[in-house]
Amino acid sequence: MAFELPALPYSYNALAAKGMCQETLELHHDKHHQAYVTALNGFVEAKPELQGKSLDEIILAVKGDAASAPVFNNAGQHWNHILFWNNLSANGGGIPGALEEKIKSDLGSVETFKEEFKKAATTQFGSGWAWLVLTPAGKLAVTKTANGSNPLAEGQGKALLGLDVWEHAYYLDFRNRRPDYITNYLDKLANYEFAEAQLKAA
């Protein structure tokens, strides 16, 4: 069965008042994410050994194989974006109690978490992602990955939040001001309720 582009969990203009305009969502979701899905399906169709595997299984099967880098990148980007769309909310920015307590316990404070996340996202050179993960040891941690990689592939743990820092994610809204995009995400767009649900389900 071919992989499919999931519908956004909100309208294209739902996030405009919070710093992500309709055109950004249309281009990012309908063009960029769709391109990853289309390419991935083409690779899977040409590789019988990948057919019938889940997205997670494909990512783990091809990671580290230089010849399969295009498969890995497109599978990883599909995986990353599925999480990313759920990471955004028109009612974002507020951190619910259980997640806040876990952040304070593991990272020291909400302020420290945001500082670490901003540092990870701004220092990811070129394209990539910043993440809040629940490590295999059961602690929260802030990580980053390059290009289409992700916490699944890197063995970093379960992803609770993931921020796309490729330029197509923010250039229409913030031009070259990646730090402003990151701050806006953490304070206004981040769906911390989703992150808490991911935490509780771990």
Side-chain angles (χ1 to χ4, degrees), residues 37-100:
V37 176
T38 300
L40 174 61
N41 284 329
F43 289 126
V44 171
E45 185 176 349
K47 292 179 177 288
E49 68 272 19
L50 298 179
Q51 293 168 12
K53 291 185 180 293
S54 70
L55 187 58
D56 286 23
E57 288 170 338
I58 290 174
I59 290 169
L60 294 174
V62 302
K63 72 171 185 174
D65 177 16
S68 297
V71 182
F72 177 80
N73 286 331
N74 284 280
Q77 284 290 65
H78 183 35
W79 190 98
N80 295 355
H81 282 82
I82 290 170
L83 184 80
F84 180 61
W85 304 128
N86 286 294
N87 273 196
L88 305 173
S89 172
N91 300 313
I95 305 179
L99 178 61
E100 182 177 6

Side-chain angles (χ1 to χ4, degrees), residues 12-173:
Y12 285 99
N13 64 359
L15 309 180
K18 294 295 186 77
M20 189 171 288
C21 71
Q22 180 170 337
E23 188 178 7
T24 290
L25 282 176
E26 289 173 345
L27 288 170
H28 196 170
H29 177 267
D30 296 2
K31 303 300 183 184
H32 288 280
H33 190 174
Q34 180 64 70
Y36 301 133
V37 176
T38 300
L40 174 61
N41 284 329
F43 289 126
V44 171
E45 185 176 349
K47 292 179 177 288
E49 68 272 19
L50 298 179
Q51 293 168 12
K53 291 185 180 293
S54 70
L55 187 58
D56 286 23
E57 288 170 338
I58 290 174
I59 290 169
L60 294 174
V62 302
K63 72 171 185 174
D65 177 16
S68 297
V71 182
F72 177 80
N73 286 331
N74 284 280
Q77 284 290 65
H78 183 35
W79 190 98
N80 295 355
H81 282 82
I82 290 170
L83 184 80
F84 180 61
W85 304 128
N86 286 294
N87 273 196
L88 305 173
S89 172
N91 300 313
I95 305 179
L99 178 61
E100 182 177 6
E101 289 306 309
K102 183 68 171 169
I103 288 173
K104 290 178 178 178
S105 173
D106 294 350
L107 299 174
S109 69
V110 169
E111 292 73 22
T112 299
F113 151 65
K114 289 187 176 182
E115 288 170 5
E116 290 188 15
F117 196 96
K118 288 176 189 174
K119 181 178 180 181
T122 54
T123 60
Q124 173 52 47
F125 182 76
S127 302
W129 295 75
W131 307 92
L132 175 66
V133 302
L134 182 68
T135 69
K139 299 290 187 179
L140 294 183
V142 172
T143 66
K144 60 182 177 178
T145 59
N147 300 317
S149 195
N150 54 46
L152 172 68
E154 303 288 343
Q156 296 172 345
K158 179 172 182 152
L160 307 184
L161 292 173
L163 181 64
D164 190 346
V165 297
W166 291 57
E167 283 191 341
H168 63 240
Y170 61 86
Y171 211 84
L172 287 175
D173 299 296

